[in-house]
């Protein structure tokens, strides 16, 4: 006799079933809270990340009746909510990048920007990357970081931000050009366009 295999319920089905049994929504939290926490933590630091992720799920729970069931994956929806919450903290985010720019590097602990820089270019580029991210307009930074740190596709970013895919492409292109220029014309995404 074979053991039953666990069938993963699609996100849209979980949301729909949570309208009848609200406890079903907890599965979405289990699936995506760590991913959202990492994303917010990279942008604002670990201190506010837990609160913003919690707030994201409270908003998602409250708005679950309006979720479009034609989308089986709730990640873009959740990233859209958290990005809107992050927009309230844009000054904090820019200040964080400016602080990282000024902070001496002791070689002992890596900040989130240092981890990105390590994967993309030499550690010497850390101040340049921090400055470039701080200088980007929030809408361009959101698109760049949803792709780079949120690991969303262009279509998912478009859905998360409620903008056309063409707008995602143009904002990402603009952000990449600005970051590349700040890094001495190296590609911060390690990929060709």
């Amino acid at each position: 006799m074979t053991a039953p295999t666990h069938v993963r319920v699609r996100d849209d089905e979980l949301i729909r079933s949570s309208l009848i049994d609200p406890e079903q929504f907890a599965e979405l939290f289990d699936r995506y809270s760590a991913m959202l926490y990492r994303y917010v933590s990279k942008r604002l630091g670990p201190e506010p990340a837990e609160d913003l992720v919690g707030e994201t799920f409270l908003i998602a729970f409250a708005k679950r009746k309006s979720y479009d069931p034609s989308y089986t994956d709730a990640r873009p929806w959740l990233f859209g909510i958290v990005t809107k919450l992050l927009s309230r903290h844009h000054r904090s985010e820019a200040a964080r990048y400016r602080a990282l720019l000024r902070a001496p590097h002791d070689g002992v602990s890596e900040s989130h920007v240092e981890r990105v820089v390590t994967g993309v270019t030499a550690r010497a580029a850390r101040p340049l990357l921090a400055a470039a991210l701080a200088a980007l307009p929030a809408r361009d930074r959101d698109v760049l970081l949803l792709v780079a740190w949120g690991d969303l596709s262009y279509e998912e970013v478009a859905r998360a931000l409620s903008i056309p895919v063409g707008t995602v492409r143009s904002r990402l292109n603009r952000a990449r050009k600005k970051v590349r220029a700040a890094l001495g014309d190296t590609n911060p995404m390690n990929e060709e366009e």
Side-chain angles (χ1 to χ4, degrees):
M1 185 168 166
T2 58
T5 58
H6 184 285
V7 177
R8 180 179 161 116
V9 178
R10 291 187 338 229
D11 295 346
D12 63 314
E13 293 170 346
L14 277 175
I15 293 168
R16 188 174 49 249
S17 67
S18 76
L19 295 172
I20 296 164
D21 179 9
E23 303 234 349
Q24 294 291 314
F25 200 82
E27 177 64 25
L28 285 177
F29 181 86
D30 293 342
R31 286 180 187 177
Y32 301 120
S33 62
M35 179 185 302
L36 291 171
Y37 177 84
R38 284 188 301 274
Y39 177 70
V40 175
S41 185
K42 287 177 180 179
R43 292 194 62 177
L44 293 180
E47 299 81 22
E50 192 171 318
D51 290 340
L52 282 177
V53 170
E55 191 174 351
T56 297
F57 281 97
L58 285 174
I59 291 168
F61 183 79
K63 293 185 173 191
R64 71 192 192 281
K65 288 180 185 174
S66 63
Y67 183 79
D68 183 348
S70 67
Y71 296 108
T72 60
D73 182 1
R75 282 179 327 122
W77 179 57
L78 294 169
F79 272 102
I81 293 169
V82 81
T83 299
K84 286 177 185 157
L85 293 173
L86 280 165
S87 71
R88 297 180 191 163
H89 297 274
H90 71 278
R91 286 188 185 106
S92 299
E93 182 178 27
R96 180 173 171 77
Y97 294 134
R98 286 190 300 274
L100 286 167
L101 177 65
R102 293 186 305 269
H105 177 63
D106 61 9
V108 176
S109 65
E110 283 190 295
S111 72
H112 72 282
V113 171
E114 288 170 329
R115 285 190 298 274
V116 171
V117 171
T118 298
V120 210
T121 185
R123 282 188 191 267
R126 174 182 161 240
L128 298 173
L129 179 59
L133 290 174
L136 287 175
R139 65 180 188 262
D140 293 351
R141 184 172 48 239
D142 287 342
V143 169
L144 177 68
L145 297 180
L146 282 168
V147 170
W149 292 343
D151 200 27
L152 296 183
S153 69
Y154 292 4
E155 292 77 15
E156 290 170 329
V157 172
R159 191 168 138 229
L161 300 178
S162 300
I163 58 176
V165 173
T167 303
V168 170
R169 291 181 193 284
S170 63
R171 288 181 185 176
L172 185 60
N173 185 45
R174 187 171 41 249
R176 284 177 172 165
K177 283 181 181 179
K178 288 179 181 178
V179 172
R180 275 190 205 119
L183 294 175
D185 288 322
T186 59
N187 188 338
M189 300 292 289
N190 265 356
E191 64 183 36
E192 294 302 315
E193 289 186 76

